[in-house]
Amino acid sequence: MAPPTQETVSTDPQGPPLASWLAACAKRDRAAFARLYQATSAKLYGVAVRILRREDWAEEVLQECYVSIWTHAPDYRPGLAAPMTWMTSIVRNRCLDWLRRPRLELADEDGALTEAAESDSPS
């Protein structure tokens, strides 16, 4: 997945109709999902990059997040949170999960991958 762009989808002064696009996504409307992605991906990508501090990780996590947004769109409740708040929470939580998970490979300063030592015994 390529990094999102800063293209604007709507010229509406109140912003794009995110809640209606989420409702349409709940009904499996792919065109609404594409509009939702176009309108929100740049901002959510920025959130992921700020948390993860790596663009490659942010791209991967963001892809997982949009799958989750598509899957859980029927669960969105407009009275509980604004659409962008709900989606940002998904991204934030997925980024934190990503940082918590054990790594089998680590990149050194030159970008070369090395195997991380995982030990079950206390040292």
Side-chain angles (χ1 to χ4, degrees):
M1 170 174 16
T5 62
Q6 291 284 343
E7 294 179 24
T8 304
V9 173
S10 173
T11 56
D12 182 358
Q14 293 184 341
L18 300 179
S20 64
W21 291 338
L22 273 173
C25 288
K27 296 175 183 171
R28 301 301 176 232
D29 181 338
R30 290 175 187 233
F33 184 70
R35 288 189 296 274
L36 182 73
Y37 177 84
Q38 193 78 21
T40 61
S41 60
K43 182 171 180 143
L44 295 178
Y45 176 74
V47 170
V49 169
R50 270 193 306 275
I51 294 170
L52 298 170
R53 300 190 185 274
R54 283 188 52 175
E55 291 181 3
D56 57 336
W57 288 358
E59 289 173 16
E60 192 167 336
V61 168
L62 194 64
Q63 183 174 355
E64 292 176 12
C65 290
Y66 275 100
V67 169
S68 184
I69 289 167
W70 173 258
T71 303
H72 296 286
D75 300 332
Y76 171 68
R77 302 290 175 254
L80 297 178
M84 201 63 192
T85 303
W86 183 73
M87 291 185 292
T88 301
S89 295
I90 291 171
V91 172
R92 183 195 67 231
N93 292 338
R94 188 66 54 106
C95 287
L96 294 176
D97 289 345
W98 180 273
L99 291 173
R100 287 183 196 120
R101 77 181 195 191
R103 299 272 169 238
L104 297 178
E105 295 178 338
L106 299 174
D108 63 15
E109 291 177 11
D110 297 328
L113 293 178
T114 57
E115 201 169 308
E118 289 189 27
S119 174
D120 292 337
S121 62
S123 304

